[in-house]
Amino acid sequence: MHEIITLQLGNLSNYTATHFWNAQESYFTYGDQDQSPVNHDIHWRSGVGHDGSETFLPRTVIYDLKGGFGSLRKINPLYDATLTSDAAADFLWSGRPTVHKQDAVSPSAYQQGLDAGENSPPRPTPSSVRYWSDFSRVYFHPRSLVQLYDFELNSTIRPFERFAMGTELFSSLDREHDIVDRDWRPFAEECDLMQGIQVFTTLDDAWGGFASSYLEALRDEYPKSCIWVWGLQSPVVRDVPREKRQLRLVNAAQTLSQACSQASMVVPLSLPDGPFPSSVALDPGSPWQVSGLLSAAAESAGLQSRLAARRPTLLSELAESLNTTGTQTLAAASMDVGQPADELNREKLDVDLFHLGRFGRNDRHREKPGRVFGQVSSYRGTAKLDESEENESKDHRLSRPIVGNPVVRRYTSTLKFPLLDSYPQIYRDIPEGETTAAVRTVLSTTTAMTARMRNLRSQVSRSLMLEERETLSNGLAEIADAYQDDWSSGSDEDDDDV
């Protein structure tokens, strides 16, 4: 069935993935409705609840810190089998038990409305969304929820913010019990023919280190599987000190260096550090709104991997279209939403989501567009491609690209992006009350990556100890070299030793 298993690592990742799962849930059709254009078996798994009823829940494993799940219960109503007595506990202890309970987090007004079966529950707002579970519309299997008690969410005493913390946490947990075997394998064994693994993770905190170790373990277990990573970056807000910004940049560089060597494709997603596009209005301090924008890009770019009308374009095929040399595992993403998305001839999209290694305002003359190696364009809306582009889109599987020429793939779908009541209203040119929006995304690998990665190397190398500096510099240099033109002399003014 070409299943995809999702791995969610960290709080911002869970915010983003919650929007993703809400969108997938909205594609279900019931009764006399037309058949859904999405093959739900790819991302959802069937099962049986405690009362024998059939269930259909996401194929995902969700990790978060203590306090990160909010009001979400590990055992939901589908699996809420209440035991009248615990024979094992009675046998071990005949005395009177004392129970200490932490006050439960109250559900949001939106969740209470959903639980009550209201057709129009109160819409979430930036102030009412405290956790990613506050706007979740789906149930998860109890095995999907893994809370890590070693660290607490938003702790000021022991923040989970350094790359090394993540690698150390994974190692300690893996020694105690094989994490992949305990948490991941049950979902993998249910698959008939797994097409790949989708990972949502933050790059710029300790979850980057945790993800790097997890990716290494998955690659050992599944050496030939496609692993697609959506690497999220925390938005830069004004009150973040310069030292913390530099730490985030170092974490992101370390994660990229490790992830690009293990994953089939890594796509960083982040907000611009500066003025927003005129079509977008959001609060960088609201993870609900930030993740809504990032999720629209990830969900739309991968739409063709789960369509039911034809054989889906597998994640591995998307990765191969971008990775034309076998070493280009890092891709940039951009997006248009609403009316701009319908202008299919536009070369530069409004929302640029790749900002790692970006040059400063005074160095913009040094940033060149670069030659394209691979490009995957996905459009969901009603505008039509011209005849030549439509033929190319239909026949691209039948033609083999000429070596050295760009590999350009275009995919179209009439299934627009759903603007649910759980989704923030962040697009200026979309009227209030609209339930869908046209979206166009472009993933690309270009020669511009070389200068970006070299600039990132120069930005972070002096923040590390000598041994770590050498390892990281070599890793980023390898990524940069993969995007040079074959006919390039190899010389570059930015390629100095650091």
Side-chain angles (χ1 to χ4, degrees), residues 265 318-325 328 330-332 371-377 404-409 442-447 449 483:
M265 187 55 57
L318 295 177
E320 289 170 2
S321 298
L322 294 168
N323 185 1
T324 59
T325 65
Q328 298 165 332
L330 179 68
R371 187 175 72 85
V372 173
F373 293 107
Q375 185 180 90
V376 175
S377 176
N405 284 3
V407 177
V408 179
R409 305 292 187 230
V442 174
L443 306 180
S444 59
T445 53
T446 70
T447 54
M449 295 283 197
Y483 297 89

Side-chain angles (χ1 to χ4, degrees), residues 147-191:
Q147 187 165 195
L148 305 182
Y149 294 93
D150 302 71
F151 291 86
E152 190 168 358
L153 183 68
N154 299 326
S155 172
T156 56
I157 300 175
R158 196 181 175 213
F160 194 56
E161 63 179 4
R162 294 184 178 276
F163 181 89
M165 288 179 170
T167 58
E168 291 169 2
L169 177 60
F170 183 91
S171 298
S172 63
L173 294 174
D174 203 44
R175 281 195 301 268
E176 185 176 349
H177 38 247
D178 188 321
I179 292 181
V180 172
D181 192 61
R182 182 195 67 177
D183 301 334
W184 183 267
R185 196 177 305 281
F187 290 92
E189 290 178 346
E190 294 175 341
C191 298

Side-chain angles (χ1 to χ4, degrees), residues 470-491:
E470 182 177 358
T471 302
L472 179 59
S473 294
N474 291 339
L476 295 178
E478 289 180 7
I479 297 174
D481 291 343
Y483 297 89
Q484 290 190 99
D485 276 321
D486 293 338
W487 55 81
S488 172
S489 63
S491 62

Side-chain angles (χ1 to χ4, degrees), residues 415-420 430 433-438:
L415 178 64
K416 291 188 176 183
F417 180 72
L419 299 175
L420 307 172
I430 297 180
E434 284 287 332
T435 58
T436 59

